[in-house]
Amino acid sequence: MTYQAREIPDNFVAKWQETTNVMADIFEVPAGLIMRVLPEQIEVLVSSHSAGNPYEASEKAKLNTGLYCETVMASRKLLQVPNALEDAHWKSNPDVALNMISYLGVPLLWPDNEVFGTICVLDSKTRKFQAKYVDLMWEIKKSIEADFKVIQQQERLVDSNTELRLAIESQRSDAMKLAQTNEELNAALATLKKMQGELLRSEKMAALGALVAGVSHELNTPIGNSLMAASTLQSHAAEFSADLLKGVTRGRMHEFVEAINQGAELLMRSLAHAAELVGSFKQVAVDQSSMKRRTFYLDTTIAEILIALGPSIRKSGLTVERNIPAGITMDSYPGALGQVLSNLIDNALVHAYAGRAQGRIIISAESDGDDQLRLSVRDEGVGISESNLSRVFDPFFTTRLGQGGSGLGLHIAYNLVHTALRGNIAVDSSPDHGACFTLTLPRVAPAGA
Ligand SMILES: Nc1ncnc2c1ncn2[C@@H]1O[C@H](COP(=O)(O)OP(=O)(O)OP(=O)(O)O)[C@@H](O)[C@H]1O
Ligand SMILES: [Mg+2]
């Protein structure tokens, strides 16, 4: 049999001291005891303060030595020994050596029904206690066992208190970890923002690259025409100088002047066209690289932007229709508008009509009151699924991952519309019914944009 020692708070030991004193007094014995069992020993937990008491608190005795209390604990029953000296079984038990020859004791049980120890009285003379004393001892036992329950509940309270404290502490450390994670996330976000800024800049460079390609392509025709006109003039001059050696008629002179005039006219027209193109490209290029604010005509600026996009539009075989009333002016950022339109048109080419040889892109504008205008870019292509529709403006959202799509085009467009042009951009689309991007813009961008 192994026993488990229970801890008893001091205030209970003090209380039981009183009880044990009174008990010894009532029983008229020198020793009233509360014994506590330890794994290998038994200990006097409380000893009555009475005359002739040979026991002292905290005294310990070995188990398995034939103590009265040991029998009580093992049997869990009341034990009464009126006189050990007259009892063959008890006459040589260790308490007899202390002259304690009579005994009355009952077991004390912990709330879990394990043995705690005993409560007992001992005397140096023969004692045979009446039933009422035995009853009293049972009552004392019950009251101490009731205290055990209180002690256990208090222990549990302390335990759950500790658990609570631990839980609070762990929560606090969780919160700290969260704060740290938050900080890390913020740092990551800052890096991302910086990256986005850089991407935006590189996107701008890419737009300028496209512009340069557009410029050279568009200039091909007028410069080619100029070259042809110049070389025709040259051959006219050569022919005429050969004729001069032979002598020329008045008619021939007229003919030559007429040819020179025509050639010069053609040359001037072509060069003027080239100059005009260079002028408008210069405007778009300046707009795109500087993001300068200025007053401009919407239709002219869109025409210039479309010229820049000309080569890729022509290559795709698509047509671009324009419904832009003449005379709408804006005081805003034409470079930003150009980038937004380029991204929308580029998307129509790449996504809406992917792999199709024909199709239309319709750009329309209309005034919305005096201060606002609506500008839409519509296609009749594959459209956008409902689940993707809410994500198209998200950075890095693309359905062409690994096929040249970075998913930044619409995000940049969204940012430019909101931060530079100070307007709104919305999309309306369903699968197979094309997509329509609508910009709502103030004609005069608010200051500070
Ligand atoms: N006109 C359109 N028709 C169908 N889908 C479109 C259209 N415009 C955009 N999308 C969808 O929206 C997604 C996001 O467009 P976004 O311009 O932001 O990125 P991207 O074109 O894929 O890549 P990037 O523009 O960076 O090259 C596209 O991948 C495509 O799925
Ligand atoms: Mg795109």
Side-chain angles (χ1 to χ4, degrees), residues 176-190:
M176 265 162 62
K177 269 185 222 147
L178 225 86
Q180 199 187 335
T181 316
N182 238 341
E183 243 169 56
E184 283 166 12
L185 272 172
N186 270 336
L189 199 74

Side-chain angles (χ1 to χ4, degrees), residues 199-209 288-289 291 339:
L199 271 165
L200 214 140
R201 271 193 293 282
S202 68
E203 185 87 353
K204 217 151 103 179
M205 294 314 292
L208 277 176
Q288 295 229 350
S289 60
M291 283 290 171
Q339 272 201 36

Side-chain angles (χ1 to χ4, degrees), residues 162-238:
T162 313
E163 271 168 32
L164 220 78
R165 224 190 40 240
L166 287 177
I168 288 170
E169 256 162 37
S170 93
Q171 228 175 45
R172 198 173 294 148
S173 86
D174 279 359
M176 265 162 62
K177 269 185 222 147
L178 225 86
Q180 199 187 335
T181 316
N182 238 341
E183 243 169 56
E184 283 166 12
L185 272 172
N186 270 336
L189 199 74
T191 318
L192 246 163
K193 279 211 180 113
K194 213 171 98 195
M195 247 168 71
Q196 244 178 32
E198 273 158 24
L199 271 165
L200 214 140
R201 271 193 293 282
S202 68
E203 185 87 353
K204 217 151 103 179
M205 294 314 292
L208 277 176
L211 194 73
V212 170
V215 173
S216 37
H217 191 96
E218 289 301 311
L219 284 174
N220 262 346
T221 316
I223 290 177
N225 287 346
S226 303
L227 262 176
M228 217 156 72
S231 84
T232 310
L233 277 178
Q234 203 178 29
S235 61
H236 277 312

Side-chain angles (χ1 to χ4, degrees), residues 325-388:
I328 298 183
T329 55
M330 287 185 82
D331 176 5
S332 189
Y333 297 83
L337 184 66
Q339 272 201 36
V340 173
L341 287 180
S342 309
N343 285 352
L344 294 179
I345 291 166
D346 183 57
N347 277 350
L349 302 181
V350 174
H351 303 290
Y353 297 116
R356 298 192 200 178
Q358 284 182 348
R360 294 196 298 170
I361 299 169
I362 304 119
I363 304 175
S364 319
E366 58 181 357
S367 290
D368 179 10
D370 282 345
D371 305 330
Q372 288 208 122
L373 60 92
R374 249 195 315 274
L375 182 63
S376 67
V377 177
R378 185 161 67 83
D379 64 61
E380 296 161 330
V382 294
I384 303 167
S385 74
E386 203 187 321
S387 57
N388 286 350

